């Protein structure tokens, strides 16, 4: 039977793995952690001027092929991301691998069951609804905990205690049997997170993270910017997560379009980011960091507007462009300077 | 014994070191070329510095692209990035300044200040066009000394236009102009103008440059570039005679603000340091680990992604 795999996106592979193992009879290969090897593979076979998520996902697919996977899932977006699966399939074919890439969401619409059935997958129809519900809740819980961690990890007394507990929680999530057990685990860990020892709060410095979704959500693609900021003692707020993208975005975008600050949708998350930046400014955040992968067109379109908004409210904004070919020295210098600046401003 | 502080700025092209006292007066300073060997450059720099009698060295600060390495070797009390260092240095000597333009060897940045704080900054991103190394390589091509560039540029009456967007294209444009027989001073002036336009387009990108403006970094020694900044912006540009030392001065000032912990000496040159690059085989990340040895003793290991070292 065909082995199934999917690209890596942060810790969400726990939820995706849970869903797929319950819904499909095929063997599911979890994607490997993104390492230098993955980046090299992706970089080697991708066009040079494609955005970086393409390179990361292609790299994980190539690693999956080495393990014997033949079917891959890919998610399309409202930008070039929507064409990724076709181009990646072609690249893999040219390399001599015969594999199928199934795009689950294209142009904002989820794939239909009929369409999914046309692929060589063995679907357990009965389990579909209940597993979907549990997975949805799992993602929601993970996002809630991550939001909490971003706000509180900067005050941790023992270095790494939040990360360690999160790792434990994810392990237990992956072994969960049903929704009720999941909810119990979530509440248990919620309490534990709440009781972790913390330092005294001196002065709160809050930073908002906005930008392109893959680079934001995959820590290996953004040089672990959240841990960096937390280690500096800054609270971090990030709007973009899977819960937002899948279950809230549609409603929010409709609301945003009525507000008339921006007339057009500009593709992908550009519109959302503009409104999020405005919200961050209005809520008195000390700084905004905008991350994108190089050549991300929607975000490039949003940048001048972001600069205007930040200038209006007097909030410093840092634009970072992540690329596979650049060293992290430049990133560190810019981040350090930005953090120093925020610290000096708050005094 | 009076206290004094050392600031070292190890850039890609040049190394700057300065010793100041508590009143921020320069006791001793030096400016030498890095020549791709920061450790040797710092050794040279420190041996040319002198601490006047009656002073003792109470703090060291390092900045620049080799700040981490030199900071470790000198056992520095503070290590900071160039942007903070420049801002602190400038604000101490010119508190009224609102905009700092800085063009160094490999990077260029603009720092906007407000109420004696950094308000915003920008750095050149992917490209090193319009920096000091571009000017010096073009000087070599024209057979001129880069230090005389400014004087020559000022004698020109009709600076030629040179495409400023990209260093490589600017160079081919320059070759084209020389083959057409343009006089040298016009080409040199055109180059200086190209640096200014490139900087304003690529780094400042629509940021509001408020007066007073100060211009720093190695390129600020070039009078031609200063002239064209004034011409293009239509504003007065300040140039500090110690502009090239500002990063080192900033670090010395930051070091002086720290509580005194111990005293240092300048006999750094007697020790031998060695850097060895190794590839970790622990996982498929294969991090390039940098081992730093001080007289055969392992001081530190950098570059691991997982935090094993």
């Amino acid at each position: 039977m065909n082995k199934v795999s999917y690209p890596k996106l942060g810790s969400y592979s726990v939820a995706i793995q849970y869903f797929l193992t319950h819904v499909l009879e095929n063997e599911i290969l979890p994607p490997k952690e993104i390492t230098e090897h993955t980046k090299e593979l992706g970089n080697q076979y991708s066009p040079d001027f494609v955005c970086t998520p393409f390179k990361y996902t292609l790299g994980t697919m190539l690693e999956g092929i080495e393990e014997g996977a033949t079917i891959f899932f890919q998610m399309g977006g409202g930008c070039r991301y929507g064409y990724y699966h076709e181009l990646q399939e072609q690249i893999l074919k040219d390399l001599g691998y015969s594999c199928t890439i199934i795009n689950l969401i294209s142009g904002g619409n989820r794939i239909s069951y009929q369409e999914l059935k046309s692929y060589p997958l063995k679907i357990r129809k009965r389990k579909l609804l209940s597993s979907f519900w549990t997975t949805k809740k799992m993602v929601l819980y993970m996002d809630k905990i991550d939001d909490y961690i971003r706000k509180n990890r900067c005050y941790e007394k023992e270095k790494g205690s939040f990360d360690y507990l999160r790792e434990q929680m994810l392990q237990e999530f992956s072994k969960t049997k049903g929704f009720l057990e999941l909810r119990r685990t979530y509440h248990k860990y919620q309490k534990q997170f709440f009781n972790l020892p913390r330092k005294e709060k001196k002065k709160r410095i809050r930073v908002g993270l906005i930008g392109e979704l893959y680079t934001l959500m995959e820590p290996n693609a953004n040089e672990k910017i959240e841990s960096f900021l937390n280690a500096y003692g800054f609270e971090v707020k990030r709007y973009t997560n899977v819960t937002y993208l899948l279950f809230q975005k549609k409603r929010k975008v409709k609301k945003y379009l009525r507000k008339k600050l921006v007339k057009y949708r500009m593709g992908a998350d550009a519109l959302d980011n503009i409104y999020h930046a405005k919200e961050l400014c209005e809520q008195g955040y000390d700084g905004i960091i905008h991350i994108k992968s190089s050549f991300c067109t929607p975000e490039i379109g949003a940048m001048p507007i972001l600069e205007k908004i930040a200038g209006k409210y007097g909030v410093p904004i840092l634009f970072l462009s992540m690329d596979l070919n650049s060293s992290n020295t430049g990133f560190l210098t810019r981040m350090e300077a930005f953090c120093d600046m925020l610290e000096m401003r708050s005094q | 014994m009076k206290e004094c502080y050392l600031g070292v700025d190890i850039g890609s092209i040049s190394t700057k070191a300065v010793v100041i006292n508590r009143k921020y007066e320069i006791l001793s300073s030096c400016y030498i070329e890095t020549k791709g060997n920061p450790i040797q450059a710092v050794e040279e720099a420190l041996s040319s510095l002198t601490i006047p009698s009656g002073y003792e060295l109470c703090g060291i600060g390092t900045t620049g692209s080799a700040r981490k390495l030199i900071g470790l070797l000198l056992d520095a009390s503070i290590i900071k990035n160039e942007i903070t260092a420049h801002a602190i240095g400038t604000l101490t000597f010119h508190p009224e300044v609102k905009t700092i333009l800085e063009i160094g060897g490999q990077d260029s940045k603009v720092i906007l200040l407000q109420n004696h704080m950094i308000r915003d900054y920008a750095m050149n991103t992917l490209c090193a066009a319009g920096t000091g190394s571009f000017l010096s390589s073009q000087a070599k091509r024209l057979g001129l000394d880069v230090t005389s560039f400014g004087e020559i540029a000022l004698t020109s009456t009709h600076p030629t236009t040179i495409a400023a967007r990209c260093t490589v294209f600017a160079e081919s444009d320059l070759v084209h102009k020389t083959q057409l027989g343009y006089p040298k001073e016009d080409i040199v002036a055109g180059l200086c103008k190209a640096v200014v336009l490139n900087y304003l387009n690529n780094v400042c990108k629509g940021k509001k440059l408020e007066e007073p403006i100060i211009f720093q970094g190695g390129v600020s020694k070039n009078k031609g570039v200063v002239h064209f900044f004034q011409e293009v912006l239509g504003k007065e540009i300040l140039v500090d005679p110690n502009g090239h030392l500002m990063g080192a001065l900033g670090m010395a000032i930051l070091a002086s603000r720290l509580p005194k912990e111990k005293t240092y000496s300048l006999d750094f040159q007697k020790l031998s340091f060695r850097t060895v690059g190794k590839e970790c085989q622990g996982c498929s990340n294969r991090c390039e680990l940098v081992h730093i040895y001080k007289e055969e003793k392992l001081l530190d290991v950098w570059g691991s992604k997982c935090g094993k070292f």
Side-chain angles (χ1 to χ4, degrees):
Chain A
M1 210 186 292
N2 289 309
K3 283 188 192 174
V4 178
S5 190
Y6 50 93
K8 180 147 170 53
L9 177 63
S11 310
Y12 290 113
S13 36
V14 172
I16 303 172
Q17 185 75 15
Y18 174 85
F19 181 65
L20 292 180
T21 41
H22 281 79
V23 166
L24 297 179
E25 276 176 43
N26 304 48
E27 193 184 330
I28 317 286
L29 283 174
K32 282 186 181 168
E33 193 71 30
I34 289 177
T35 59
E36 286 305 310
H37 182 61
T38 325
K39 292 183 193 174
E40 252 168 52
L41 274 178
N43 214 2
Q44 195 178 346
Y45 298 112
S46 306
D48 201 22
F49 281 86
V50 80
C51 19
T52 39
F54 185 94
K55 299 177 185 174
Y56 286 109
T57 48
L58 187 70
T60 31
M61 282 178 190
L62 282 163
E63 281 186 330
I65 286 173
E66 280 169 29
E67 307 266 308
T70 50
I71 298 178
F72 291 98
F73 286 110
Q74 177 66 283
M75 299 270 233
C79 59
R80 274 197 279 195
Y81 212 107
Y83 307 109
Y84 274 17
H85 67 289
E86 287 174 38
L87 190 54
Q88 282 173 334
E89 206 172 68
Q90 192 58 46
I91 289 173
L92 294 178
K93 240 175 222 155
D94 289 347
L95 287 172
Y97 306 114
S98 66
C99 45
T100 328
I101 300 180
I102 305 173
N103 197 15
L104 289 180
I105 298 175
S106 53
N109 298 316
R110 274 167 230 165
I111 195 170
S112 68
Y113 181 68
Q114 250 57 30
E115 221 175 314
L116 205 60
K117 254 183 21 186
S118 64
Y119 292 105
L121 296 168
K122 283 211 167 173
I123 305 171
R124 294 189 184 113
K125 216 172 165 182
R126 268 198 215 150
K127 286 250 181 172
L128 205 59
L129 256 178
S130 67
S131 311
F132 181 75
W133 173 252
T134 316
T135 313
K136 185 183 166 180
K137 282 290 172 191
M138 194 188 285
V139 170
L140 186 77
Y141 290 154
M142 274 165 66
D143 285 341
K144 271 190 176 170
I145 290 281
D146 280 352
D147 273 347
Y148 184 80
I149 291 175
R150 279 192 280 274
K151 276 200 185 121
N152 291 285
R153 185 166 50 183
C154 46
Y155 304 117
E156 67 184 357
K157 214 169 201 176
E158 197 184 329
K159 211 182 150 204
S161 55
F162 274 82
D163 289 338
Y164 179 70
L165 198 59
R166 180 173 182 270
E167 207 56 43
Q168 272 187 327
M169 183 190 77
L170 290 179
Q171 286 233 335
E172 231 168 284
F173 271 10
S174 66
K175 282 177 206 143
T176 193
K177 287 202 184 69
F179 171 61
L180 288 175
E181 195 191 328
L182 179 81
R183 199 171 61 183
R184 259 201 308 279
T185 328
Y186 167 65
H187 286 305
K188 186 178 94 188
Y189 276 98
Q190 205 184 20
K191 253 179 225 153
Q192 285 190 26
F193 271 113
F194 194 71
N195 291 330
L196 278 177
R198 278 139 228 248
K199 287 184 283 195
E200 241 177 86
K201 283 183 194 180
K202 274 185 230 148
K203 168 108 194 170
R204 277 174 90 198
I205 299 179
R206 297 177 302 163
V207 180
L209 276 183
I210 53 172
E212 183 257 322
L213 63 105
Y214 189 91
T215 316
L216 269 178
M217 292 197 283
E218 173 56 57
N220 287 307
N222 60 28
E223 308 270 356
K224 300 189 176 135
I225 190 165
E226 285 168 15
S227 318
F228 184 96
L229 287 168
N230 279 154
Y232 236 89
F234 296 174
E235 286 180 28
V236 177
K237 161 101 185 169
R238 191 185 86 191
Y239 288 92
T240 315
N241 53 30
V242 169
T243 316
Y244 175 79
L245 291 172
L246 290 186
F247 308 113
Q248 295 168 355
K249 188 180 154 91
K250 248 187 185 169
R251 194 159 38 89
K252 281 269 171 76
V253 167
K254 264 187 200 158
K255 201 177 104 193
Y256 289 151
L257 278 172
R258 257 183 270 131
K259 282 194 184 168
K260 293 190 178 147
L261 178 67
V262 184
K263 223 177 185 176
Y264 305 103
R265 297 183 62 152
M266 302 168 78
D269 293 344
L271 176 79
D272 316 40
N273 281 330
I274 290 166
Y275 278 97
H276 290 159
K278 194 162 169 260
E279 249 174 75
L280 290 169
C281 292
E282 279 165 359
Q283 286 169 16
Y285 272 74
D286 297 86
I288 300 174
I289 299 180
H290 177 265
I291 329 171
K292 65 169 200 311
S293 71
S294 300
F295 323 115
C296 174
T297 327
E299 297 302 331
I300 291 171
M303 274 161 67
I305 308 171
L306 290 173
E307 194 142 10
K308 197 179 161 192
I309 290 173
K312 197 175 135 200
Y313 287 91
V315 177
I317 184 163
L318 175 70
F319 294 102
L320 291 171
S321 195
M322 308 311 266
D323 193 9
L324 285 185
N325 296 323
S326 56
S327 83
N328 74 340
T329 322
F331 167 82
L332 288 178
T333 307
R334 280 169 186 79
M335 282 298 292
E336 250 181 49
F338 190 74
C339 294
D340 281 346
M341 175 172 83
L342 293 188
E343 251 171 17
M344 273 158 69
R345 276 171 68 108
S346 77
Q347 275 164 14
Chain B
M1 282 295 241
K2 282 190 239 169
E3 292 163 351
C4 68
Y5 303 91
L6 169 69
V8 194
D9 178 356
I10 316 98
S12 53
I13 304 288
S14 61
T15 297
K16 287 78 72 178
V18 64
V19 179
I20 59 164
N21 62 11
R22 269 250 167 239
K23 287 176 192 152
Y24 305 146
E25 290 160 344
I26 298 174
L27 301 175
S28 173
S29 74
C30 81
Y31 177 92
I32 55 169
E33 279 181 33
T34 309
K35 286 178 189 150
N37 189 347
I39 296 180
Q40 209 193 330
V42 170
E43 270 177 35
E44 260 177 59
L46 294 195
S47 58
S48 68
L49 286 179
T50 46
I51 295 180
S53 58
Y55 281 100
E56 61 175 1
L57 195 57
C58 295
I60 298 179
T62 57
T63 185
S65 41
R67 60 178 178 276
K68 217 176 143 193
L69 174 75
I70 303 301
L72 179 74
L73 301 189
L74 293 178
D75 195 15
S77 30
I78 185 164
I79 302 170
K80 277 266 180 250
N81 57 78
E82 304 90 294
I83 297 164
T84 314
H86 271 274
I88 297 284
T90 314
L91 280 174
T92 313
F93 295 100
H94 304 275
E96 75 288 352
V97 161
K98 285 215 172 121
T99 308
I100 305 173
L101 312 173
E102 208 254 303
I103 305 186
Q106 292 262 299
D107 63 359
S108 44
K109 41 195 167 288
V110 56
I111 306 171
L112 305 179
L113 304 158
Q114 193 181 37
N115 303 332
H116 309 289
M117 277 184 315
I118 308 177
R119 180 168 65 89
D120 200 357
Y121 75 89
M123 226 169 148
N124 59 338
T125 45
L126 295 168
C127 171
T131 54
S133 55
F134 168 65
L135 277 183
S136 62
S137 70
Q138 296 319 317
K140 248 176 228 151
R141 173 182 287 278
L142 294 170
L144 297 168
D145 186 17
V146 76
T147 46
S148 63
F149 235 62
E151 314 273 309
I152 299 170
L154 287 182
T155 60
S156 158
T157 44
H158 301 285
T160 139
T161 4
I162 286 174
R165 196 170 302 117
C166 164
T167 307
V168 179
F169 291 141
E171 194 168 316
S172 50
D173 208 24
L174 175 97
V175 174
H176 173 66
K177 291 277 157 75
T178 46
Q179 307 303 56
L180 282 179
Y182 275 82
K184 233 172 209 177
E185 64 267 19
D186 285 356
I187 290 171
V188 169
L191 271 176
C192 293
K193 197 169 180 180
V195 167
V196 169
L197 291 176
N198 184 292
Y199 176 84
L200 292 176
N201 286 333
N202 279 344
V203 185
C204 298
K205 269 190 208 154
K207 288 201 193 305
K208 237 188 209 163
L209 306 180
E210 283 177 63
E211 279 182 289
I213 302 172
I214 194 164
F215 179 30
Q216 290 176 351
V219 179
S220 69
K221 298 273 149 205
N222 185 324
K223 282 178 195 148
V225 177
V226 179
H227 169 77
F228 285 114
F229 260 124
Q230 266 162 350
E231 192 185 291
V232 173
L233 289 174
K235 286 171 186 166
E236 190 69 26
I237 306 279
L238 286 169
V239 179
D240 192 284
N242 291 322
H244 58 295
L245 294 174
M246 218 37 108
L249 276 169
M251 283 325 291
I253 290 162
L254 280 175
S256 74
R257 287 183 189 168
L258 294 174
K260 184 187 164 185
E261 273 172 4
K262 57 175 176 175
T263 54
Y264 297 84
S265 69
L266 283 181
D267 59 353
F268 164 73
Q269 59 269 30
K270 283 174 198 138
L271 299 165
S272 72
F273 290 99
R274 200 157 54 87
T275 307
V276 182
K278 278 179 194 164
E279 203 173 71
C280 177
Q281 302 293 342
C283 68
S284 59
N285 251 334
R286 281 172 293 144
C287 303
E288 197 188 338
L289 299 177
V290 183
H291 296 245
I292 303 198
Y293 292 93
K294 180 181 182 177
E295 288 175 336
E296 299 308 311
K297 197 182 129 223
L298 186 62
L299 264 189
D300 206 347
V301 182
W302 297 338
S304 87
K305 287 210 167 92
C306 58
K308 191 171 162 187
F309 295 100

